[in-house]
Amino acid sequence: MTATNATPERQERLDGVTVFVEVVRLGGFARAAEHLDLTRSAVGKAMARLEARLAARLFHRTTRVQSLTDDGQIYYEHCLRALSELQAAEAQMQSGRHAVGGRLRVTMPVLFGRHCVAPILLNLAQQHPSLDLYLSFSDRPVDVLAEGFDLAIRSGVLGAESAGLRARKLVVQRKQVCASPAYLAAQGRPQSTAELATHSILLYRRADRINVWQLPDATGRIVDMPLTSRLQLDDLEAIADAATAGLGLAWLPEWLVRDRLRTGKLVSVLDDQPGAARDCYALWPSTPHMPLRLRLAVDALVEHFAEGGE
C-alpha cells in the first residue's frame, strides 16, 4: 500500500496502516517485521507513531504476545474495509485495461453522430455485453474534460478547446452541390460556380450565422461564395428534404445525401469542382493509460472510415 506522490506525513500514515494490518494478520511484531523486511524496532516505532496519531492504544502488550484492544479491533476492521475497497478499485482499473467493460461516455455532432458514428459504437456494444454506452448528440461546443466525456467526435480545425486532449483523425468530410432532377430540368444545370448566383440556393443558418459555401473560383482557388437565399434552415436533413422537393441547390455532406444520389432523388452538380472539406477527429483526455474500451472504440471508428465508410 504505497503512494508515490504522497507527502512524507501521508506516506508515514500509509506505511503505519500497512504495518499495523500485517502485525495483526501475522500475529506479532516479529513476524510482521520479517514479512515486511523491516527490523522489529522499526515495526515497534511505526506502531508507536500510529497510536500517538490516533491517541489510542491499539495493542495489549506482554512479553509473549500482542493482542488487540477494543479500539484496535475497531480500527483493524476499518482498515480491512479500506484495503478491500482499494483492491477492488485496482482490480476494476486493471480490468478496464484488459477487458472491454465499464462505461464509455461519448459526445458527437447530431447528424454525423447519428448517421456515421452511433452505428459503429452500438455494434461495439453488441459485441461486448459488459460495455455500457452513453451517447450524447449535440452540435454545441462541448467541454470534454469539464463535462466528463471519455470520447468526443469533432469536425473542423482543432483549436484551444482541444487542450489536454489527444486527437486521431478519422475521415475527411467532403460536401456535394446537388439538386433534384425536377429542379435541374426546370432551371438548368450550373456549369460553373459563377452561375450559382442565378439559382435558388438553400442555405444552412444557425445562431444567426450562415454556413458559407466554400467552392473554387475561376482560378481554382477555394473561396467563400457570396450567395443569398430566401430559404435558410438550421437543419441539414431539412435542407436535403427541401432540395429533394425541388426547391433549390444544396451544399451537403456526401454521407448525408449518398442514398438520395444513389436512388436518383438528388443529382450532383459541379462534380469537377470539389469544394472545401473538413477533417473529422476523435478526441479523448490525455492520460498515461488508455482503457481498452476507449481504445477499441477509437480503433473501430478508424477502421470503419479507413474502409470508406461514412
Side-chain angles (χ1 to χ4, degrees):
M1 184 178 180
T2 61
T4 56
N5 294 325
T7 64
E9 180 182 1
R10 177 64 174 163
Q11 187 64 55
E12 181 179 309
R13 291 187 182 188
L14 292 171
D15 292 344
V17 170
T18 300
V19 173
F20 170 68
V21 169
E22 291 304 300
V23 168
V24 178
R25 186 177 71 85
L26 297 172
F29 286 20
R31 291 178 180 175
E34 181 179 358
H35 178 74
L36 296 171
D37 196 23
L38 298 172
T39 65
R40 181 167 179 174
S41 173
V43 171
K45 289 178 180 178
M47 290 302 90
R49 289 193 296 269
L50 182 61
E51 288 179 327
R53 190 176 74 249
L54 296 174
R57 194 170 185 82
L58 300 176
F59 294 98
H60 295 298
R61 293 178 175 84
T62 68
T63 56
R64 297 179 60 87
V65 69
Q66 294 86 31
S67 61
L68 287 172
T69 64
D70 289 343
D71 286 339
Q73 183 63 43
I74 293 172
Y75 187 63
Y76 179 63
E77 291 171 0
H78 279 286
C79 288
L80 288 182
R81 285 197 293 271
L83 288 171
S84 177
E85 290 179 5
L86 284 173
Q87 290 168 354
E90 290 181 1
Q92 184 174 357
M93 294 296 290
Q94 290 296 328
S95 66
R97 287 191 287 269
H98 301 292
V100 186
R103 188 171 71 163
L104 187 68
R105 302 181 76 242
V106 188
T107 175
M108 63 194 78
V110 176
L111 285 181
F112 183 69
R114 185 188 304 157
H115 283 264
C116 303
V117 178
I120 304 167
L121 297 181
L122 291 173
N123 181 61
L124 189 68
Q126 189 173 33
Q127 296 175 28
H128 302 282
S130 295
L131 176 63
D132 298 332
L133 273 184
Y134 168 59
L135 304 183
S136 175
F137 300 84
S138 176
D139 291 326
R140 68 179 177 83
V142 173
D143 189 324
V144 178
L145 298 176
E147 299 183 42
F149 283 100
D150 304 299
L151 179 63
I153 307 301
R154 294 254 176 90
S155 295
V157 178
L158 299 181
E161 75 281 357
S162 62
L165 303 175
R166 298 188 63 185
R168 189 168 180 183
K169 184 176 174 180
L170 296 176
V171 69
V172 177
Q173 292 190 57
R174 293 179 173 82
K175 301 178 78 170
Q176 181 65 57
V177 178
C178 54
S180 71
Y183 175 86
L184 296 177
Q187 304 297 329
R189 186 187 188 106
Q191 301 300 314
S192 69
T193 55
E195 294 182 20
L196 292 177
T198 65
H199 282 267
S200 297
I201 302 296
L202 303 170
L203 291 180
Y204 178 72
R205 183 187 185 104
R206 169 161 290 197
D208 293 327
R209 183 171 180 269
I210 291 177
N211 184 24
V212 179
W213 292 21
Q214 295 178 307
L215 296 168
D217 61 12
T219 67
R221 183 170 57 96
I222 299 294
V223 297
D224 291 347
M225 303 298 298
L227 301 174
T228 59
S229 173
R230 67 184 183 88
L231 298 176
Q232 300 175 8
L233 303 87
D234 69 356
D235 182 88
L236 292 177
E237 278 192 315
I239 291 177
D241 290 340
T244 303
L247 294 176
L249 295 169
W251 189 49
L252 293 168
E254 290 181 350
W255 53 262
L256 182 60
V257 294
R258 181 183 294 109
D259 288 344
R260 299 180 196 234
L261 292 172
R262 186 176 64 248
T263 58
K265 293 180 179 179
L266 289 175
V267 177
S268 62
V269 300
L270 302 176
D271 293 339
D272 59 340
Q273 301 180 55
R278 304 180 74 193
D279 292 336
C280 178
Y281 298 89
L283 299 100
W284 62 93
S286 180
T287 57
H289 302 289
M290 188 178 185
L292 183 58
R293 58 183 174 272
L294 175 57
R295 184 181 301 279
L296 287 186
V298 173
D299 288 346
L301 292 168
V302 170
E303 180 180 359
H304 172 81
F305 291 117
E307 292 175 351
E310 277 188 325

